[in-house]
């Protein structure tokens, strides 16, 4: 049995979207639901008695997503402007504002 005893300052989650089989690369297009604010990992943390309980909540600051076919798709990134609490979608040199609801329903990759 594994126990998490310490959390990192920044949490990076990688969603395995691509799988190689004998003939071609497949993409898993499943939408993964995740909160933009206050992802709490306290239920997964095992802190030894007597130690101070660390912060267990994370806010999303960026989301990388892949759209399209495995060999022909594009990557986009969603980034939060913390000062204004606004989200932006960046693809190549194009930067556009985006509503937060679209960040959470994208095909997140990292």
């Amino acid at each position: 049995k594994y126990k998490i005893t310490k959390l990192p300052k920044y949490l990076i989650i990688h969603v395995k979207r691509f799988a190689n089989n004998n003939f071609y690369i497949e993409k898993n297009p499943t939408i993964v639901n995740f909160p933009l604010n206050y992802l709490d990992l306290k239920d997964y943390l095992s802190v030894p008695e007597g130690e101070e309980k660390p912060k267990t909540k994370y806010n999303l600051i960026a989301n990388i997503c892949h759209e399209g076919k495995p060999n022909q798709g594009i990557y986009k990134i969603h980034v939060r402007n913390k000062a204004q609490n606004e989200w932006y979608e960046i693809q190549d040199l194009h930067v556009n504002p985006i509503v937060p609801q679209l960040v959470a329903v994208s095909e997140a990759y990292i």
Side-chain angles (χ1 to χ4, degrees), residues 22-36:
N22 292 333
F23 304 103
Y24 55 91
I25 299 173
E26 294 179 299
K27 180 179 176 186
N28 178 351
T30 303
I31 301 295
V32 178
N33 292 316
F34 52 88
L36 299 182

Side-chain angles (χ1 to χ4, degrees), residues 9-32:
K9 183 174 180 179
Y10 297 99
L11 181 66
I12 300 171
I13 299 174
H14 176 263
V15 179
K16 187 172 181 181
R17 289 276 178 210
F18 304 103
N20 290 325
N21 67 26
N22 292 333
F23 304 103
Y24 55 91
I25 299 173
E26 294 179 299
K27 180 179 176 186
N28 178 351
T30 303
I31 301 295
V32 178

Side-chain angles (χ1 to χ4, degrees), residues 3-6 45-54:
K3 292 182 181 181
I4 299 174
T5 57
K6 197 179 216 182
L45 188 64
S46 178
V47 179
E49 285 190 38
E51 287 191 19
E52 183 179 332
K53 294 192 178 191

Side-chain angles (χ1 to χ4, degrees), residues 1-105:
K1 181 177 173 182
Y2 294 100
K3 292 182 181 181
I4 299 174
T5 57
K6 197 179 216 182
L7 293 172
K9 183 174 180 179
Y10 297 99
L11 181 66
I12 300 171
I13 299 174
H14 176 263
V15 179
K16 187 172 181 181
R17 289 276 178 210
F18 304 103
N20 290 325
N21 67 26
N22 292 333
F23 304 103
Y24 55 91
I25 299 173
E26 294 179 299
K27 180 179 176 186
N28 178 351
T30 303
I31 301 295
V32 178
N33 292 316
F34 52 88
L36 299 182
N37 296 303
Y38 310 117
L39 171 65
D40 196 351
L41 298 180
K42 72 178 175 192
D43 294 338
Y44 306 98
L45 188 64
S46 178
V47 179
E49 285 190 38
E51 287 191 19
E52 183 179 332
K53 294 192 178 191
K55 293 181 181 178
T56 60
K57 294 183 181 176
Y58 292 88
N59 292 327
L60 187 68
I61 57 173
N63 176 36
I64 300 171
C65 49
H66 181 270
E67 293 180 357
K69 296 179 182 180
N71 294 329
Q72 302 171 345
I74 59 168
Y75 288 93
K76 294 182 179 181
I77 183 169
H78 301 127
V79 180
R80 179 187 295 198
N81 177 336
K82 188 176 178 181
Q84 298 172 343
N85 198 28
E86 294 177 344
W87 284 90
Y88 293 92
E89 181 178 84
I90 302 170
Q91 180 195 351
D92 296 329
L93 298 176
H94 302 281
V95 179
N96 297 306
I98 186 173
V99 294
Q101 294 84 353
L102 293 178
V103 174
V105 296

